[in-house]
Amino acid sequence: MKLLRYGPVGQEKPGLLDASGTIRDLSGVIPDLAGAALSAAGLAKLAALDPGSLPAVPGSPRLGPPTSGMKNLICIGLNYADHAAETGSPVPKEPIVFLKSLGALCGANDDVIIPKNSVKTDWEVELCIIIGTKAKCVSEAEALEHVAGYAVGNDVSEREWQIERGGAWDKGKGCDTFGPVGPWLVTKDEIPDPQNLSMYCDVDGVRMQDGSTRTMIFGVKTLVSYVSHMITLHPGDVIFTGTPPGVGLGKKPAPIFLKAGQVMKLGIQGLGEQTQKTVAYES
């Protein structure tokens, strides 16, 4: 299934994308895509529905983040061998874990705000894991039992703040709109091998990233298990799993960074596409 949330910011309703590409309203079935709705039993209930029996949503509404009620936006750094190489960094011996502010979360096609005084805002297409049930100290063998599905993410990053200003990476990761997720949650039954998905990111029509989850250092099972031993994972939580090469920071002969008025388009095989316009900060 492809599950989504549609409507104005803060007023999103749950929905389902049917086989014809029509959004079907789920608000008469569940209050939101959160909590128990993301469990195996909750997803089975939704899968048993006849999409044709659900109200069709007219037009092309805004799509919000595909889950709500999350407690954590977790990110994994330098998790692709070829990305680590382009940045001149050693391959991590254990996953590098950092957090995005929940305020960074936004819809897949929402505008991305270039922060005030930013000069090094960058893009990162990433596979996102969406947690379905509470996970605490789970084994790798158990990990996928706690996963509802996957989505496309853009781990937008301010590199000066992340790298040059001292302290944790979080400084350059948690700005408003720096976490587009979606357009929808694709349930894990539709993605039998999350470690074999092609992915890309274009900026103004130019292909910047062209990679595959095959080059991930730590896979989905490992990441869910590893993080769950440090941070209790809750339904709706999102794990950004790292990015392949081609980020602006790694461009040769000189880095390339985003300016207001540009368009990012990114996608992952089987998970859909996002398109964001960059806009200048306004107080």
Side-chain angles (χ1 to χ4, degrees), residues 142-160:
E142 302 169 308
L144 290 185
E145 297 174 13
H146 299 273
V147 173
Y150 306 97
V152 182
N154 188 356
D155 177 18
V156 186
S157 308
E158 212 300 340
R159 301 301 189 188
E160 180 189 13

Side-chain angles (χ1 to χ4, degrees), residues 11-37:
Q11 302 176 42
E12 294 92 346
K13 295 181 179 181
L16 177 154
L17 192 74
D18 71 16
S20 71
T22 299
I23 296 174
R24 299 286 178 166
D25 182 14
L26 283 173
S27 62
V29 181
I30 54 173
D32 207 344
L33 286 168

Side-chain angles (χ1 to χ4, degrees), residues 90-112:
V91 172
K93 294 181 180 180
E94 293 190 34
I96 296 171
V97 179
F98 60 94
L99 300 175
K100 276 188 180 287
S101 162
L102 290 177
L105 187 70
C106 65
N109 303 316
D110 289 349
D111 290 344
V112 166

Side-chain angles (χ1 to χ4, degrees), residues 115-130:
K116 184 178 182 180
N117 300 322
S118 167
V119 293
K120 295 185 178 180
T121 295
D122 202 351
W123 56 84
E124 291 190 8
V125 60
E126 305 206 4
L127 171 70
C128 286
I129 304 166
I130 310 294

Side-chain angles (χ1 to χ4, degrees), residues 120 122-123 247-257:
K120 295 185 178 180
D122 202 351
W123 56 84
V247 299
L249 178 67
K251 293 298 182 185
K252 302 294 188 292
I256 301 171
F257 297 112

Side-chain angles (χ1 to χ4, degrees), residues 173-226:
K173 297 287 190 171
C175 304
D176 292 347
T177 73
F178 268 28
V181 178
W184 33 71
L185 179 164
V186 180
T187 50
K188 64 186 176 186
D189 58 295
E190 292 197 14
I191 309 294
D193 185 4
Q195 307 306 150
N196 189 27
L197 304 175
S198 59
M199 55 204 307
Y200 76 91
C201 177
D202 296 344
V203 178
D204 291 341
V206 177
R207 182 61 45 95
M208 295 296 185
Q209 293 184 273
D210 189 1
S212 170
T213 58
R214 290 191 301 272
T215 66
M216 285 173 65
I217 298 164
F218 305 105
V220 169
K221 293 179 182 178
T222 299
L223 293 177
V224 172
S225 173
Y226 184 89

